[in-house]
Amino acid sequence: MEYTQLGKSELKVSQIGFGCMSLGTDLETGRGIIERAIELGINYFDTADLYDKGLNEEILGTILKDKRDKIVLATKVGNQWRADGSGWDWNPRKEYIIKTSEESLRRLKTDYIDLYQLHGGTIDDNIDETIEAFEILKQQGKIRYYGISSIRPNVIREYAQRSQIVSVMMQYSLLDRRPEESCLDFLLQKNISVVTRGSIAQGLLTGKPPKMYLNYDEEEVDTIAKAVRFVGGEKRSQAQTALHYVLQQQAVASAVVGIRTIVQLQDAAGTPSTPLLTKAEINFLREAIKQNYYEQHR
């Protein structure tokens, strides 16, 4: 496994991160796959208070409580479940973030969170109030660093310019190259790392039957999937090729992968040990379908 420094922080995160949303609710199944992930060198585990109404954090905390010094623990805040459980509402207010951080710490069975992330954000939020909440938690030692999880360029710019965020989690893949236009170079200049999600595009880049995805039709999705398979050849799996594409962007520190099985885990974790994409391979993949761009929140 290879490790990358996360922005201006002292955290070194594995290039393949473990996206815990797909972990499930069975403790022992989760324990087996997470312990194997650590054996394979994965140290970055990403969850959120939203997942399974906090149960995901609780299971993760139980599994990792005796391994705390070996891992980088990241969670998210900002989505508040309604009292009747029917859904959630956006709440980036200082009081809510500070209160909810205590609940996450309790469920995660830890005294501190390595990376606390705002789970969304709009340009109409009181951004300074949200930043103040994270700064208070940092001063109190309850979080080490903070970042945001957002695909909105206008929101990303505001936090990059007004706060001490060390990372931005965003969807980025060969089927979603929107960050290449407006975010990656900007964040690199700011020394703010990108953590990617959705980099195998719901499995569409790894062999799942093609379907519409964002602005791409079924035929276009099939075309890029075939290109990924061709480029991988016998050197890499399709997932490894897709992950290399995002990891070879200088701004990207880690690709967080939703992992459900040991087979998926071993495939993803093996990515850094497979050959890098050549410039010719990267260009071939980029030319397979037209690039998409952000149309909103610019």
Side-chain angles (χ1 to χ4, degrees), residues 256-288:
V256 172
V257 183
I259 296 167
R260 298 179 185 274
T261 69
I262 294 292
V263 172
Q264 291 174 346
L265 168 64
Q266 293 181 159
D267 187 38
T271 301
S273 64
T274 59
L276 295 174
L277 298 175
T278 65
K279 288 184 178 180
E281 288 173 330
I282 290 172
N283 289 336
F284 178 81
L285 291 169
R286 286 176 171 169
E287 291 169 3

mmCIF file of all heavy atoms in Angstrom, residues 256-288:
data_model
loop_
_atom_site.group_PDB
_atom_site.id
_atom_site.type_symbol
_atom_site.label_atom_id
_atom_site.label_comp_id
_atom_site.label_asym_id
_atom_site.label_seq_id
_atom_site.Cartn_x
_atom_site.Cartn_y
_atom_site.Cartn_z
ATOM 1 N N VAL A 256 -11.691 6.500 -1.962
ATOM 2 C CA VAL A 256 -12.486 5.752 -0.992
ATOM 3 C C VAL A 256 -13.430 4.827 -1.757
ATOM 4 O O VAL A 256 -14.215 5.273 -2.590
ATOM 5 C CB VAL A 256 -13.272 6.704 -0.073
ATOM 6 C CG1 VAL A 256 -14.250 5.933 0.794
ATOM 7 C CG2 VAL A 256 -12.300 7.498 0.798
ATOM 8 N N VAL A 257 -13.327 3.549 -1.465
ATOM 9 C CA VAL A 257 -14.072 2.535 -2.202
ATOM 10 C C VAL A 257 -15.073 1.866 -1.280
ATOM 11 O O VAL A 257 -14.732 1.474 -0.160
ATOM 12 C CB VAL A 257 -13.108 1.476 -2.792
ATOM 13 C CG1 VAL A 257 -13.878 0.460 -3.622
ATOM 14 C CG2 VAL A 257 -12.023 2.144 -3.635
ATOM 15 N N GLY A 258 -16.308 1.735 -1.753
ATOM 16 C CA GLY A 258 -17.313 0.984 -1.013
ATOM 17 C C GLY A 258 -17.065 -0.504 -1.202
ATOM 18 O O GLY A 258 -17.132 -1.014 -2.320
ATOM 19 N N ILE A 259 -16.762 -1.200 -0.138
ATOM 20 C CA ILE A 259 -16.321 -2.597 -0.215
ATOM 21 C C ILE A 259 -17.295 -3.484 0.552
ATOM 22 O O ILE A 259 -17.590 -3.234 1.715
ATOM 23 C CB ILE A 259 -14.895 -2.740 0.352
ATOM 24 C CG1 ILE A 259 -13.897 -1.947 -0.518
ATOM 25 C CG2 ILE A 259 -14.488 -4.204 0.451
ATOM 26 C CD1 ILE A 259 -12.537 -1.775 0.114
ATOM 27 N N ARG A 260 -17.760 -4.545 -0.115
ATOM 28 C CA ARG A 260 -18.714 -5.464 0.510
ATOM 29 C C ARG A 260 -18.138 -6.860 0.729
ATOM 30 O O ARG A 260 -18.633 -7.601 1.575
ATOM 31 C CB ARG A 260 -19.979 -5.576 -0.347
ATOM 32 C CG ARG A 260 -20.739 -4.267 -0.519
ATOM 33 C CD ARG A 260 -21.969 -4.460 -1.388
ATOM 34 N NE ARG A 260 -22.625 -3.195 -1.656
ATOM 35 C CZ ARG A 260 -23.527 -2.624 -0.854
ATOM 36 N NH1 ARG A 260 -23.880 -3.242 0.258
ATOM 37 N NH2 ARG A 260 -24.077 -1.470 -1.169
ATOM 38 N N THR A 261 -17.130 -7.241 -0.054
ATOM 39 C CA THR A 261 -16.598 -8.600 0.018
ATOM 40 C C THR A 261 -15.079 -8.591 0.094
ATOM 41 O O THR A 261 -14.428 -7.602 -0.276
ATOM 42 C CB THR A 261 -17.014 -9.417 -1.220
ATOM 43 O OG1 THR A 261 -16.338 -8.901 -2.380
ATOM 44 C CG2 THR A 261 -18.527 -9.355 -1.447
ATOM 45 N N ILE A 262 -14.512 -9.705 0.536
ATOM 46 C CA ILE A 262 -13.064 -9.845 0.596
ATOM 47 C C ILE A 262 -12.457 -9.777 -0.800
ATOM 48 O O ILE A 262 -11.379 -9.204 -1.008
ATOM 49 C CB ILE A 262 -12.674 -11.166 1.294
ATOM 50 C CG1 ILE A 262 -13.097 -11.134 2.776
ATOM 51 C CG2 ILE A 262 -11.183 -11.425 1.172
ATOM 52 C CD1 ILE A 262 -12.332 -10.146 3.633
ATOM 53 N N VAL A 263 -13.144 -10.332 -1.783
ATOM 54 C CA VAL A 263 -12.649 -10.290 -3.159
ATOM 55 C C VAL A 263 -12.536 -8.848 -3.645
ATOM 56 O O VAL A 263 -11.512 -8.446 -4.226
ATOM 57 C CB VAL A 263 -13.559 -11.108 -4.096
ATOM 58 C CG1 VAL A 263 -13.158 -10.892 -5.558
ATOM 59 C CG2 VAL A 263 -13.493 -12.590 -3.752
ATOM 60 N N GLN A 264 -13.578 -8.049 -3.406
ATOM 61 C CA GLN A 264 -13.529 -6.634 -3.783
ATOM 62 C C GLN A 264 -12.416 -5.915 -3.037
ATOM 63 O O GLN A 264 -11.705 -5.084 -3.603
ATOM 64 C CB GLN A 264 -14.871 -5.965 -3.469
ATOM 65 C CG GLN A 264 -16.025 -6.422 -4.343
ATOM 66 C CD GLN A 264 -17.351 -5.843 -3.886
ATOM 67 O OE1 GLN A 264 -17.474 -5.316 -2.777
ATOM 68 N NE2 GLN A 264 -18.356 -5.930 -4.742
ATOM 69 N N LEU A 265 -12.273 -6.236 -1.763
ATOM 70 C CA LEU A 265 -11.245 -5.613 -0.936
ATOM 71 C C LEU A 265 -9.853 -5.882 -1.491
ATOM 72 O O LEU A 265 -9.040 -4.960 -1.650
ATOM 73 C CB LEU A 265 -11.356 -6.138 0.495
ATOM 74 C CG LEU A 265 -10.200 -5.817 1.447
ATOM 75 C CD1 LEU A 265 -10.091 -4.323 1.669
ATOM 76 C CD2 LEU A 265 -10.373 -6.555 2.767
ATOM 77 N N GLN A 266 -9.555 -7.143 -1.778
ATOM 78 C CA GLN A 266 -8.222 -7.498 -2.239
ATOM 79 C C GLN A 266 -7.926 -6.892 -3.604
ATOM 80 O O GLN A 266 -6.788 -6.484 -3.874
ATOM 81 C CB GLN A 266 -8.076 -9.020 -2.249
ATOM 82 C CG GLN A 266 -8.109 -9.595 -0.838
ATOM 83 C CD GLN A 266 -7.938 -11.103 -0.778
ATOM 84 O OE1 GLN A 266 -7.560 -11.633 0.260
ATOM 85 N NE2 GLN A 266 -8.218 -11.790 -1.871
ATOM 86 N N ASP A 267 -8.941 -6.814 -4.448
ATOM 87 C CA ASP A 267 -8.766 -6.200 -5.759
ATOM 88 C C ASP A 267 -8.426 -4.722 -5.611
ATOM 89 O O ASP A 267 -7.447 -4.220 -6.183
ATOM 90 C CB ASP A 267 -10.034 -6.388 -6.583
ATOM 91 C CG ASP A 267 -9.870 -5.912 -8.020
ATOM 92 O OD1 ASP A 267 -8.786 -6.107 -8.604
ATOM 93 O OD2 ASP A 267 -10.836 -5.343 -8.567
ATOM 94 N N ALA A 268 -9.234 -4.002 -4.812
ATOM 95 C CA ALA A 268 -9.002 -2.565 -4.632
ATOM 96 C C ALA A 268 -7.670 -2.291 -3.940
ATOM 97 O O ALA A 268 -6.887 -1.436 -4.370
ATOM 98 C CB ALA A 268 -10.143 -1.951 -3.835
ATOM 99 N N ALA A 269 -7.391 -3.031 -2.861
ATOM 100 C CA ALA A 269 -6.164 -2.799 -2.094
ATOM 101 C C ALA A 269 -4.915 -3.104 -2.910
ATOM 102 O O ALA A 269 -3.843 -2.561 -2.638
ATOM 103 C CB ALA A 269 -6.178 -3.640 -0.828
ATOM 104 N N GLY A 270 -5.062 -3.950 -3.927
ATOM 105 C CA GLY A 270 -3.920 -4.283 -4.764
ATOM 106 C C GLY A 270 -3.593 -3.240 -5.813
ATOM 107 O O GLY A 270 -2.557 -3.343 -6.495
ATOM 108 N N THR A 271 -4.434 -2.216 -5.933
ATOM 109 C CA THR A 271 -4.238 -1.212 -6.985
ATOM 110 C C THR A 271 -2.860 -0.572 -6.969
ATOM 111 O O THR A 271 -2.199 -0.492 -8.023
ATOM 112 C CB THR A 271 -5.329 -0.128 -6.896
ATOM 113 O OG1 THR A 271 -6.615 -0.738 -7.035
ATOM 114 C CG2 THR A 271 -5.147 0.923 -7.977
ATOM 115 N N PRO A 272 -2.357 -0.077 -5.824
ATOM 116 C CA PRO A 272 -1.055 0.613 -5.862
ATOM 117 C C PRO A 272 0.114 -0.265 -6.309
ATOM 118 O O PRO A 272 1.162 0.270 -6.712
ATOM 119 C CB PRO A 272 -0.874 1.082 -4.406
ATOM 120 C CG PRO A 272 -2.265 1.179 -3.873
ATOM 121 C CD PRO A 272 -2.990 0.032 -4.501
ATOM 122 N N SER A 273 -0.043 -1.577 -6.250
ATOM 123 C CA SER A 273 1.050 -2.459 -6.658
ATOM 124 C C SER A 273 0.984 -2.833 -8.136
ATOM 125 O O SER A 273 1.862 -3.542 -8.630
ATOM 126 C CB SER A 273 1.053 -3.732 -5.804
ATOM 127 O OG SER A 273 -0.126 -4.488 -6.026
ATOM 128 N N THR A 274 -0.024 -2.359 -8.844
ATOM 129 C CA THR A 274 -0.128 -2.621 -10.279
ATOM 130 C C THR A 274 0.461 -1.444 -11.059
ATOM 131 O O THR A 274 0.607 -0.339 -10.521
ATOM 132 C CB THR A 274 -1.590 -2.858 -10.696
ATOM 133 O OG1 THR A 274 -2.383 -1.705 -10.361
ATOM 134 C CG2 THR A 274 -2.164 -4.084 -9.993
ATOM 135 N N PRO A 275 0.792 -1.641 -12.330
ATOM 136 C CA PRO A 275 1.467 -0.579 -13.098
ATOM 137 C C PRO A 275 0.626 0.695 -13.217
ATOM 138 O O PRO A 275 -0.598 0.631 -13.403
ATOM 139 C CB PRO A 275 1.675 -1.223 -14.480
ATOM 140 C CG PRO A 275 1.647 -2.692 -14.232
ATOM 141 C CD PRO A 275 0.678 -2.894 -13.105
ATOM 142 N N LEU A 276 1.285 1.818 -13.114
ATOM 143 C CA LEU A 276 0.632 3.094 -13.352
ATOM 144 C C LEU A 276 0.139 3.165 -14.799
ATOM 145 O O LEU A 276 0.677 2.504 -15.686
ATOM 146 C CB LEU A 276 1.591 4.251 -13.092
ATOM 147 C CG LEU A 276 2.089 4.436 -11.650
ATOM 148 C CD1 LEU A 276 3.136 5.538 -11.611
ATOM 149 C CD2 LEU A 276 0.941 4.739 -10.695
ATOM 150 N N LEU A 277 -0.876 3.989 -15.022
ATOM 151 C CA LEU A 277 -1.323 4.239 -16.387
ATOM 152 C C LEU A 277 -0.279 5.094 -17.109
ATOM 153 O O LEU A 277 0.260 6.051 -16.538
ATOM 154 C CB LEU A 277 -2.654 4.982 -16.384
ATOM 155 C CG LEU A 277 -3.857 4.282 -15.747
ATOM 156 C CD1 LEU A 277 -5.059 5.228 -15.729
ATOM 157 C CD2 LEU A 277 -4.204 3.007 -16.481
ATOM 158 N N THR A 278 0.003 4.758 -18.335
ATOM 159 C CA THR A 278 0.890 5.593 -19.141
ATOM 160 C C THR A 278 0.112 6.805 -19.652
ATOM 161 O O THR A 278 -1.121 6.828 -19.612
ATOM 162 C CB THR A 278 1.434 4.815 -20.346
ATOM 163 O OG1 THR A 278 0.336 4.495 -21.219
ATOM 164 C CG2 THR A 278 2.131 3.527 -19.894
ATOM 165 N N LYS A 279 0.842 7.802 -20.129
ATOM 166 C CA LYS A 279 0.170 8.974 -20.700
ATOM 167 C C LYS A 279 -0.709 8.573 -21.874
ATOM 168 O O LYS A 279 -1.812 9.106 -22.051
ATOM 169 C CB LYS A 279 1.203 10.015 -21.148
ATOM 170 C CG LYS A 279 1.887 10.737 -19.999
ATOM 171 C CD LYS A 279 2.826 11.815 -20.516
ATOM 172 C CE LYS A 279 3.486 12.569 -19.365
ATOM 173 N NZ LYS A 279 4.415 13.626 -19.852
ATOM 174 N N ALA A 280 -0.242 7.624 -22.659
ATOM 175 C CA ALA A 280 -1.035 7.164 -23.808
ATOM 176 C C ALA A 280 -2.320 6.491 -23.341
ATOM 177 O O ALA A 280 -3.388 6.688 -23.948
ATOM 178 C CB ALA A 280 -0.208 6.203 -24.654
ATOM 179 N N GLU A 281 -2.232 5.715 -22.266
ATOM 180 C CA GLU A 281 -3.424 5.040 -21.740
ATOM 181 C C GLU A 281 -4.422 6.055 -21.179
ATOM 182 O O GLU A 281 -5.638 5.935 -21.387
ATOM 183 C CB GLU A 281 -3.024 4.024 -20.676
ATOM 184 C CG GLU A 281 -2.338 2.796 -21.245
ATOM 185 C CD GLU A 281 -1.798 1.868 -20.174
ATOM 186 O OE1 GLU A 281 -1.426 2.347 -19.081
ATOM 187 O OE2 GLU A 281 -1.732 0.648 -20.439
ATOM 188 N N ILE A 282 -3.902 7.050 -20.473
ATOM 189 C CA ILE A 282 -4.775 8.090 -19.925
ATOM 190 C C ILE A 282 -5.480 8.824 -21.058
ATOM 191 O O ILE A 282 -6.699 9.060 -21.004
ATOM 192 C CB ILE A 282 -3.965 9.065 -19.046
ATOM 193 C CG1 ILE A 282 -3.523 8.353 -17.759
ATOM 194 C CG2 ILE A 282 -4.797 10.307 -18.712
ATOM 195 C CD1 ILE A 282 -2.563 9.161 -16.913
ATOM 196 N N ASN A 283 -4.739 9.187 -22.082
ATOM 197 C CA ASN A 283 -5.345 9.891 -23.219
ATOM 198 C C ASN A 283 -6.378 9.023 -23.931
ATOM 199 O O ASN A 283 -7.428 9.513 -24.359
ATOM 200 C CB ASN A 283 -4.262 10.335 -24.196
ATOM 201 C CG ASN A 283 -3.415 11.466 -23.642
ATOM 202 O OD1 ASN A 283 -3.857 12.213 -22.775
ATOM 203 N ND2 ASN A 283 -2.194 11.584 -24.127
ATOM 204 N N PHE A 284 -6.094 7.748 -24.053
ATOM 205 C CA PHE A 284 -7.039 6.821 -24.684
ATOM 206 C C PHE A 284 -8.352 6.790 -23.905
ATOM 207 O O PHE A 284 -9.447 6.838 -24.486
ATOM 208 C CB PHE A 284 -6.422 5.421 -24.743
ATOM 209 C CG PHE A 284 -7.328 4.379 -25.334
ATOM 210 C CD1 PHE A 284 -7.463 4.248 -26.714
ATOM 211 C CD2 PHE A 284 -8.043 3.522 -24.513
ATOM 212 C CE1 PHE A 284 -8.303 3.284 -27.257
ATOM 213 C CE2 PHE A 284 -8.883 2.553 -25.039
ATOM 214 C CZ PHE A 284 -9.011 2.430 -26.425
ATOM 215 N N LEU A 285 -8.265 6.721 -22.587
ATOM 216 C CA LEU A 285 -9.468 6.694 -21.751
ATOM 217 C C LEU A 285 -10.227 8.018 -21.847
ATOM 218 O O LEU A 285 -11.460 8.022 -21.931
ATOM 219 C CB LEU A 285 -9.085 6.409 -20.298
ATOM 220 C CG LEU A 285 -8.562 4.990 -20.018
ATOM 221 C CD1 LEU A 285 -7.958 4.906 -18.617
ATOM 222 C CD2 LEU A 285 -9.670 3.958 -20.174
ATOM 223 N N ARG A 286 -9.507 9.119 -21.848
ATOM 224 C CA ARG A 286 -10.157 10.425 -21.913
ATOM 225 C C ARG A 286 -10.874 10.641 -23.248
ATOM 226 O O ARG A 286 -11.885 11.347 -23.315
ATOM 227 C CB ARG A 286 -9.136 11.536 -21.678
ATOM 228 C CG ARG A 286 -8.702 11.648 -20.224
ATOM 229 C CD ARG A 286 -7.622 12.692 -20.039
ATOM 230 N NE ARG A 286 -7.365 12.939 -18.620
ATOM 231 C CZ ARG A 286 -6.342 13.638 -18.153
ATOM 232 N NH1 ARG A 286 -5.467 14.169 -18.995
ATOM 233 N NH2 ARG A 286 -6.203 13.821 -16.857
ATOM 234 N N GLU A 287 -10.344 10.061 -24.279
ATOM 235 C CA GLU A 287 -10.926 10.262 -25.601
ATOM 236 C C GLU A 287 -12.056 9.284 -25.914
ATOM 237 O O GLU A 287 -12.720 9.422 -26.944
ATOM 238 C CB GLU A 287 -9.821 10.143 -26.664
ATOM 239 C CG GLU A 287 -8.833 11.304 -26.605
ATOM 240 C CD GLU A 287 -7.591 11.062 -27.463
ATOM 241 O OE1 GLU A 287 -7.553 10.012 -28.141
ATOM 242 O OE2 GLU A 287 -6.683 11.910 -27.428
ATOM 243 N N ALA A 288 -12.275 8.334 -25.005
ATOM 244 C CA ALA A 288 -13.300 7.322 -25.268
ATOM 245 C C ALA A 288 -14.706 7.913 -25.291
ATOM 246 O O ALA A 288 -15.561 7.475 -26.063
ATOM 247 C CB ALA A 288 -13.208 6.205 -24.230
#
